[in-house]
Amino acid sequence: MSTESNLNESRDTQLRADALEYHRSPTRGKIEVVATKPLSNQRDLSLAYSPGVAYACEEIAADPGTAADYTSRGNLVAVISNGTAVLGLGNIGPLASKPVMEGKGCLFKKFAGVDVFDLELAENDPDKLVDAIAMLEPTVGGINLEDIKAPECFYIEKQLRERMNIPVFHDDQHGTAIISSAALLNALKVVGKDIRDIKLAASGAGAAAIACLDMMVVLGVKRENIFVTDSKGVIWQGREASMEANKARYAQATEARTLADIVAGADVFLGCSTAGVLTGDMVKTMAPQPVILALANPEPEIRPEVAKAARPDCIVATGRSDYPNQVNNVLCFPYIFRGALDCGATRITDEMKLACVTAIAELAEAEASDVVASAYAGQDLSFGPDYIIPKPFDPRLLAAIAPRVAEAAAASGVASRPIDDMDAYRERLAQMIYHTGFFMKPVFAKARATLRKLAYAEGDDPRVLRAVQTVVDEGLAHPVLIGQATAIERAMKEAGLRLKRDVDYTLVGSDGDTTLQGAALLKAGEVDALICGMRGSYDSHLVHVQNEIGLAPGAEVMAAMNALVLDKLTLFITDTYVNDQPSAQELAAIARLAAAELRQFGLEPKVALLSHSSQGSSERPSARRMREARRLLAQSAPELAVIGEVHGDAALSEDIRALYDIEREGGFGGSANLLVMPSLDAANILFNVLKVAAGKGVTVGPILLGAAKPVHILSPSATVRRIVNMTALAAAGVR
């Protein structure tokens, strides 16, 4: 056995062990059911069950359409399999298929917020399966058929589509067809071939292969140019062995009998069959710049390195994540269902599937997002031979695909709840990925309206450059990059960005400390705002800001504030970086500055001065400082809604405050959104713990308050999305 074979076997052994542990620990399996409503007292019980539940039942009985309002059905999909054709494993049965179906549920939830019941049915009779699945219509809003063998899967889906008034989608067929078709469109664009002229050779004639061919015909591939093989050889007119209707429509009048025969001269190879059937020698006989879609999993019909060795000019896509151009159904099924569910589609039409193909193909031509770049570090993510379809973790997929699907559903007459405001719908979908989108909206709008000159001290940082590409594309500011020209240009090239010097950005050559340079430019009025802090300590940047920029008129202190997006609310926490042990007067000043900043986001500040004590329960110095800060705020900013000093739980819960009769006058209802902490340690620790434990890393900041001009000192852990957010905030903050 070769060294490479030994290495692959070792990797497989480790992967197996890791996968089993992943499924087993710390909780067995991958999904759970979580209640969306509280059930903590008698009143909750009376609303959730008897007698309150009867009112919801009566409404649905009177108008079945209201089930989408009063139940989870409108966001619930059943993933159903009998385990007869599990990808890469074959007929392993329904029980053994359950990990796959649970995994499908995880993907639905992760990528599109769709809830799933996975249902593994011990039944191979197609008619009995149809009856069983059709009976689920009152329970779910859609059906995702999975891993059911051909030809039964064709019959089952057809019967269910005719009997049910909800979307039915066999992902093995249509998901693969949609993604591979998008890959084909873009590959042909790269090599400059017309889809109407190509010859296509296919290996495999099962559910996925036939669905792919059907979709490609719709897109323009001529049926007379398609040649197909299955386990019996070429599908030719007159052949009797293993022929059924779905295969027969691709039978050709040809003397070819083997895969090698039909691959010769082919522009495209489509593989939905088994490992290793396409050889390097076969690839050598293909047309110039051949496109190879080798989709067998886990081992493709040909490995990309083998194909490239035979024909360096080929473009290769596989189903594997360890090679470029992964044809992965997760690019499709969560989003097509998201769009279908949201518009109340009664079925998934060909128009909806074509809309999905187009959206995916177009997205691949856009620059890779920051999340994609982070997840696939070191890979070339610019449109071309190794990037013809988006990556599965591209967060733009949701907002790109679901609206197109919903629009197509309405156009084809199957949307029972057409979406009236598509722009608002796209925005809502974007917020599912970037929770910062909602409260950043007015900030972005103001930045676009002003288009200020904004300097970036670390102009050669790849994250900064990716952010700058977004800034330019979205018209948020005119970037001024500080750094060495060669380093900046090299980083741009590696990232595959389109930025042009003196058109999209201005270059300021580096002659030492770039933050000092940036602060000097800002002080002189040559730029309108500054972003720095991607390298080095916060304090090393702050000293330049204090010395060169100084305090804003009327400001008593500088301070730092971070925003943290949680599942249920957004919290602003201060002071996270600047003042170690602020005095009562400084705390009051920080609160005023932070409250003014919240209003820049269109938010009404609800301020809580946090302490270990609550309304005089302690005489320790920190408690006294918070108490005095509350008194000073009552004098200097009586319009501001403030509570304090209070415990953290009371700040976030009106019910807890009511128990202790805390601050009814001058306070506020609901949760605080601005937490003023007694020390830098407390603020920074709280922010970072919440960020990891509950915030999923969705943050804005640090926002520097009190400086004479807009400048923000970020941190070395800042993401591209955070840099974009802070750019908008800095540009919008120019007075």
Side-chain angles (χ1 to χ4, degrees):
M1 185 178 290
S2 68
T3 302
E4 183 177 352
S5 297
N6 285 330
L7 182 60
N8 288 336
E9 183 176 339
S10 175
R11 287 173 177 168
D12 290 343
T13 300
Q14 185 60 52
L15 180 62
R16 177 183 179 85
D18 292 345
L20 292 176
E21 182 62 19
Y22 174 86
H23 283 78
R24 179 172 51 235
S25 178
T27 303
R28 292 175 176 84
K30 298 191 288 286
I31 60 175
E32 65 178 355
V33 176
V34 178
T36 61
K37 298 294 191 298
L39 193 59
S40 56
N41 53 47
Q42 183 60 42
R43 177 167 174 76
D44 290 344
L45 182 60
S46 69
L47 294 172
Y49 204 55
S50 181
V53 72
Y55 300 114
C57 295
E58 290 170 349
E59 290 292 316
I60 295 170
D63 179 3
T66 61
D69 298 320
Y70 299 120
T71 76
S72 63
R73 181 176 182 266
N75 193 52
L76 185 61
V77 167
V79 174
I80 300 175
S81 180
N82 64 356
T84 53
V86 179
L87 186 64
L89 299 174
N91 187 355
I92 60 175
L95 183 60
S97 77
K98 188 171 179 64
V100 178
M101 305 311 131
E102 284 190 357
K104 198 70 177 272
C106 291
L107 297 177
F108 266 110
K109 188 68 174 179
K110 167 69 176 179
F111 290 104
V114 174
D115 294 319
V116 162
F117 288 159
D118 68 290
L119 301 172
E120 295 74 33
L121 303 180
E123 183 57 70
N124 290 345
D125 183 293
D127 289 311
K128 290 182 178 179
L129 269 175
V130 168
D131 288 339
I133 296 168
M135 287 188 285
L136 294 171
E137 185 164 346
T139 300
V140 296
I143 301 290
N144 186 101
L145 301 174
E146 192 79 10
D147 294 346
I148 300 173
K149 71 182 181 71
E152 290 90 335
C153 61
F154 299 112
Y155 173 80
I156 291 167
E157 185 190 36
K158 182 176 183 295
Q159 292 296 309
L160 290 173
R161 284 168 59 90
E162 292 174 357
R163 287 179 57 172
M164 303 184 80
N165 206 37
I166 58 175
V168 177
F169 188 78
H170 184 208
D171 186 46
D172 301 316
Q173 291 182 61
H174 308 300
T176 304
I178 288 167
I179 310 307
S180 61
S181 294
L184 176 64
L185 288 178
N186 280 346
L188 293 178
K189 184 177 291 187
V190 170
V191 300
K193 294 184 180 181
D194 190 325
I195 195 169
R196 295 167 295 183
D197 299 332
I198 63 169
K199 174 187 175 182
L200 189 152
S203 173
I210 296 299
C212 289
L213 295 175
D214 289 347
M215 180 66 73
M216 291 171 182
V217 168
V218 171
L219 290 172
V221 180
K222 293 179 179 178
R223 194 181 298 270
E224 60 266 28
N225 292 342
I226 297 175
F227 297 82
V228 185
T229 62
D230 62 6
S231 60
K232 303 297 183 181
V234 173
I235 297 175
W236 51 277
Q237 290 180 4
R239 197 186 93 173
E240 297 181 357
S242 299
M243 291 292 286
E244 48 93 14
N246 289 296
K247 292 182 183 180
R249 66 174 178 270
Y250 287 102
Q252 295 279 24
T254 178
E255 297 299 319
R257 293 296 182 267
T258 67
L259 180 61
D261 292 338
I262 65 170
V263 164
D267 300 281
V268 177
F269 170 83
L270 171 67
C272 297
S273 55
T274 190
V277 297
L278 183 67
T279 67
D281 287 338
M282 294 182 193
V283 173
K284 289 178 181 178
T285 70
M286 295 182 73
Q289 295 182 287
V291 176
I292 299 171
L293 308 177
L295 309 184
N297 241 334
E299 186 64 32
E301 286 80 2
I302 187 170
R303 286 266 182 159
E305 61 268 26
V306 177
K308 292 279 189 181
R311 288 292 294 275
D313 62 341
C314 70
I315 294 178
V316 187
T318 72
R320 294 176 63 111
S321 61
D322 52 350
Y323 288 106
N325 300 326
Q326 184 191 14
V327 175
N328 190 324
N329 288 11
V330 77
L331 291 168
C332 165
F333 68 81
Y335 314 115
I336 199 166
F337 267 102
R338 179 74 277 157
L341 291 171
D342 289 341
C343 71
T346 56
R347 63 186 66 250
I348 292 177
T349 64
D350 287 342
E351 292 84 358
M352 295 161 72
K353 289 183 280 188
L354 284 171
C356 197
V357 171
T358 303
I360 293 168
E362 290 177 358
L363 187 58
E365 293 192 70
E367 286 81 14
S369 71
D370 57 299
V371 176
V372 177
S374 175
Y376 302 95
Q379 297 186 28
D380 182 6
L381 302 181
S382 55
F383 183 70
D386 289 333
Y387 191 67
I388 56 173
I389 41 180
K391 294 290 187 179
F393 281 95
D394 193 327
R396 299 170 298 176
L397 286 161
L398 180 59
I401 297 173
R404 294 278 192 92
V405 171
E407 287 175 330
S412 52
V414 299
S416 64
R417 300 187 305 275
I419 297 170
D420 295 327
D421 189 340
M422 198 57 67
D423 288 338
Y425 178 55
R426 289 189 181 93
E427 186 172 308
R428 178 165 66 84
L429 292 173
Q431 290 164 18
M432 290 178 64
I433 302 299
Y434 295 131
H435 294 177
T436 56
F438 180 74
F439 70 85
M440 287 296 293
K441 180 181 176 181
V443 176
F444 274 76
K446 186 175 180 181
R448 291 188 185 99
T450 55
L451 197 63
R452 303 294 187 175
K453 292 177 69 174
L454 197 144
Y456 298 85
E458 293 85 9
D460 60 348
D461 188 290
R463 291 166 296 171
V464 169
L465 293 173
R466 288 187 182 278
V468 165
Q469 182 71 74
T470 300
V471 167
V472 170
D473 289 345
E474 296 189 12
L476 299 176
H478 178 79
V480 176
L481 302 181
I482 304 174
Q484 295 181 346
T486 54
I488 290 173
E489 289 167 2
R490 182 173 59 251
M492 284 183 187
K493 184 177 180 180
E494 291 174 354
L497 302 177
R498 297 174 284 106
L499 296 168
K500 295 181 180 179
R501 181 174 170 180
D502 299 326
V503 176
D504 298 317
Y505 71 94
T506 299
L507 176 69
V508 173
S510 171
D511 57 6
D513 191 313
T514 56
T515 295
L516 181 57
Q517 281 183 259
L521 289 172
L522 183 57
K523 182 179 181 180
E526 296 183 39
V527 297
D528 300 305
L530 171 66
I531 297 289
C532 60
M534 301 297 293
R535 303 187 186 106
S537 68
Y538 191 94
D539 288 347
S540 68
H541 298 276
L542 180 62
V543 68
H544 295 314
V545 175
Q546 290 172 328
N547 292 339
E548 296 293 322
I549 307 302
L551 286 171
E556 302 172 39
V557 66
M558 289 186 190
M561 177 173 69
N562 284 75
L564 181 68
V565 181
L566 307 175
D567 286 338
K568 302 295 184 183
L569 76 164
T570 297
L571 291 177
F572 291 79
I573 301 171
T574 193
D575 173 12
T576 46
Y577 282 96
V578 179
N579 298 285
D580 186 23
Q581 296 285 342
S583 67
Q585 186 172 351
E586 288 171 333
L587 287 165
I590 291 168
R592 291 194 299 270
L593 287 170
E597 194 68 26
L598 259 67
R599 294 191 179 100
Q600 292 289 319
F601 292 103
L603 300 174
E604 188 58 34
K606 298 178 179 180
V607 185
L609 303 169
L610 296 195
S611 175
H612 69 277
S613 67
S614 181
Q615 292 194 303
S617 64
S618 170
E619 290 301 320
R620 289 183 172 147
S622 64
R624 291 200 305 271
R625 284 190 287 114
M626 302 309 283
R627 201 176 309 147
E628 176 63 9
R630 174 68 183 92
R631 187 187 67 79
L632 292 172
L633 281 172
Q635 294 175 351
S636 61
E639 76 288 353
L640 195 59
V642 184
I643 59 173
E645 86 278 16
V646 293
H647 294 155
D649 56 353
L652 302 182
S653 171
E654 188 175 6
D655 290 341
I656 293 176
R657 295 199 298 276
L659 288 175
Y660 296 97
D661 196 28
I662 295 174
E663 298 259 18
R664 290 184 181 275
E665 197 170 327
F668 48 79
S671 170
N673 56 14
L674 173 55
L675 307 182
V676 179
M677 307 300 291
S679 69
L680 184 152
D681 278 348
N684 194 283
I685 291 168
L686 174 64
F687 167 71
N688 282 295
V689 168
L690 284 177
K691 179 177 69 173
V692 173
K696 302 174 184 176
V698 183
T699 64
V700 178
I703 302 165
L704 185 62
L705 308 171
K709 294 190 175 185
V711 53
H712 298 295
I713 305 168
L714 307 191
S715 63
S717 64
T719 63
V720 175
R721 175 51 50 176
R722 197 192 306 182
I723 298 169
V724 173
N725 284 335
M726 297 306 294
T727 296
L729 190 62
V734 178
R735 302 298 191 264

